[in-house]
Amino acid sequence: MPLMKSWVTSANDAAHPFPLNNLPYGVFSVAEDDLRCGVAIGDMVLDVTAAEETGLIVLGEDPLFDLPFWNPLMEQGPAVWAALRNRLTELLSEGAEEQDKVEPLLVSQDDVQMHMPLAVSEYTDFYAGRHHATNVGTMFRGPENALPPNWLHIPIGYNGRASSVVVSGTDIRRPWGQLKGPNDALPRFAPSQRFDIELEMGAIVGTPSDGPISVQEADDNIFGYVLLNDWSARDIQAWEYQPLGPFQAKATATSISPWIVTKAALEPFRCDTPAREFELLDHLKDCGPMLYDIELEVTMAPAGQSETVIARTNYNEMYYSAAQQLAHHTTSGCPMNTGDLLGSGTISGPETQNRGSLLELSWGGKEPLTLDSDESRSFVQDGDTLTLKGHAKGDGYVIGFGTCSGTILPALEDPYKR
């Protein structure tokens, strides 16, 4: 599909992340005004809440955009999702008859503050990137036992904290936790010294389900995708994770990009999952191209310094798709709700520069990175800003997500001081 032309001229720039082909959904405010639903088009935001109030967008008898999150639309299902996308395309296409009515509803992205685009119902994070799992397993168990016995058969995951999912730009406070090094006789309570990132994609459930669903049904239920950074305290994790897996190490924060890129916008970029060593059981088998060709990168910027690209990879490296993860999630009968967020797991590739976490990039701290500022890093230091970026490349256009960034604040001096 080629670039679709818009009367918003900035959207026709081949390098702009928000062309008419994209139309991602977010929540914004201007100055002290109320939060509103908006759609990115070029360097502008269309106030969808106002468009509904003025009758330019009508999707039913009841309003869908009077609350500052996109869940009411998501729970309507694919037919209404498609109707909104068609109407937005009609309103913003080159030569649109109602351009004069839409123009007053546009706000410059330079003038807005972005907020959480959805109310997260529940959050599940997976461990579904083979290169990441192999690298981490090799560090801790050796190459012969790198992958757990179940890894090639099911998507492994854990239930995270929906309450600590935050939008890009939110500062992240270094956590305290219980730590115990290999040479320590007893654990101690202290700020994490091995704070890390994980480059992931987040899939957002739109249509709820109650009971097991197939991979195809799961794919149909996914509303869209965001960039996701699963902040991880590796030293807390190393002490706590046996026998039940991550807990406090992953509870500090999870950052997501401010724009939800819909599944419809990503349709031209579908691709297959990798070849399987073992045939998956029927309920998890691929039923078509379920991954997406999305180029990803991570940058790090120490306080007052320019950013350095520290990793580049692609979402197509995942072993399990979001649809397979969602289908597996339902096998026990677990209901899935509108606004559930599924983290893909760390996305790493085959080369050192493709690794999606500092744990891998520095090989557990043994091989520190050198930044463009000549500073070295094994893990994240206070004042560092970590930013995830991603886009899919089309024919004369790109589909972008906006950035997913967070700056590390020092740990509290006394976490129990009131």
Side-chain angles (χ1 to χ4, degrees):
M1 179 184 295
L3 172 69
M4 300 166 63
K5 290 294 186 72
S6 171
W7 54 262
V8 180
T9 55
S10 58
N12 300 327
D13 183 337
H16 203 291
F18 304 129
L20 188 60
N21 303 62
N22 193 348
L23 300 178
Y25 302 147
V27 171
F28 73 99
S29 63
V30 178
E32 300 300 319
D33 291 346
D34 293 337
L35 277 60
R36 307 179 72 78
C37 292
V39 170
I41 178 69
D43 55 12
M44 309 296 287
V45 179
L46 172 62
D47 186 337
V48 175
T49 300
E52 184 179 58
E53 292 169 348
T54 59
L56 278 172
I57 294 175
V58 179
L59 296 174
E61 295 182 2
D62 298 321
L64 293 178
F65 307 112
D66 58 340
L67 297 175
F69 41 80
W70 283 81
N71 299 53
L73 173 75
M74 289 191 279
E75 63 189 13
Q76 296 299 309
V80 178
W81 306 345
L84 174 61
R85 184 172 177 82
N86 291 339
R87 181 56 173 158
L88 290 169
T89 301
E90 180 182 29
L91 292 173
L92 295 167
S93 290
E94 191 174 60
E97 293 181 1
E98 297 171 285
Q99 177 179 339
D100 61 328
K101 298 179 181 178
V102 178
E103 276 190 284
L105 307 183
L106 293 178
V107 184
S108 171
Q109 290 192 30
D110 291 337
D111 296 332
V112 306
Q113 179 179 349
M114 299 305 297
H115 304 272
M116 279 290 294
L118 75 154
V120 178
S121 297
E122 298 189 56
Y123 168 52
T124 302
D125 192 39
F126 285 87
Y127 185 58
R130 182 164 187 175
H131 294 292
H132 172 70
T134 299
N135 288 337
V136 173
T138 297
M139 272 185 259
F140 294 107
R141 295 184 297 274
E144 66 284 351
N145 296 308
L147 293 178
N150 59 356
W151 199 93
L152 294 170
H153 300 275
I154 58 171
I156 298 172
Y158 68 93
N159 290 313
R161 291 292 303 172
S163 63
S164 56
V165 179
V166 297
V167 73
S168 173
T170 304
D171 291 338
I172 309 299
R173 178 75 66 178
R174 181 180 297 275
W176 284 70
Q178 193 171 119
L179 318 175
K180 183 181 182 300
N183 298 320
D184 295 335
L186 294 171
R188 68 190 191 282
F189 188 64
S192 170
Q193 297 303 304
R194 293 164 68 90
F195 203 47
D196 198 1
I197 62 157
E198 290 192 350
L199 167 61
E200 303 190 24
M201 295 292 298
I204 297 169
V205 176
T207 309
S209 59
D210 188 3
I213 60 176
S214 68
V215 173
Q216 184 58 63
E217 289 170 327
D219 188 63
D220 293 339
N221 287 7
I222 293 173
F223 179 69
Y225 292 81
V226 292
L227 302 175
L228 186 148
N229 183 354
D230 179 35
W231 299 92
S232 301
R234 301 300 186 185
D235 39 9
I236 297 173
Q237 184 177 358
W239 173 234
E240 75 174 4
Y241 84 101
Q242 295 190 48
L244 296 181
F247 183 35
Q248 292 302 89
K250 302 281 192 170
T252 299
T254 298
S255 299
I256 64 170
S257 51
W259 297 104
I260 302 172
V261 175
T262 64
K263 192 174 56 181
L266 294 172
E267 199 65 27
F269 309 102
R270 283 187 180 267
C271 58
D272 291 320
T273 48
R276 307 292 181 188
E277 287 189 28
F278 299 96
E279 186 174 2
L280 296 176
L281 297 181
D282 287 346
H283 70 283
L284 284 177
K285 282 184 178 177
D286 299 276
C287 56
M290 292 289 173
L291 282 179
Y292 299 95
D293 181 4
I294 300 173
E295 297 181 15
L296 301 164
E297 74 173 30
V298 182
T299 69
M300 174 183 280
Q305 301 292 330
S306 59
E307 65 181 14
T308 300
V309 177
I310 61 174
R312 287 191 173 96
T313 187
N314 194 297
Y315 185 43
N316 63 18
E317 294 285 355
M318 299 307 295
Y319 195 77
Y320 296 100
S321 67
Q324 288 169 318
Q325 293 170 342
L326 177 54
H328 178 64
H329 209 322
T330 70
T331 54
S332 66
C334 167
M336 301 301 294
N337 301 313
T338 297
D340 281 352
L341 177 65
L342 307 183
S344 63
T346 306
I347 306 167
S348 296
E351 307 296 332
T352 300
Q353 64 269 22
N354 305 142
R355 296 171 180 171
S357 68
L358 286 163
L359 177 67
E360 297 168 86
L361 286 165
S362 71
W363 205 250
K366 297 176 182 177
E367 302 170 8
L369 290 72
T370 300
L371 306 179
D372 292 346
S373 61
D374 290 330
E375 297 182 52
S376 65
R377 289 288 186 277
S378 293
F379 294 94
V380 183
Q381 293 188 12
D382 295 345
D384 289 347
T385 298
L386 279 297
T387 302
L388 315 184
K389 304 175 184 180
H391 65 267
K393 285 187 177 180
D395 180 9
Y397 68 96
V398 296
I399 299 293
F401 292 77
T403 58
C404 178
S405 65
T407 300
I408 304 304
L409 302 179
L412 296 171
E413 290 188 15
D414 182 351
Y416 294 105
K417 185 177 182 179
R418 299 288 186 267

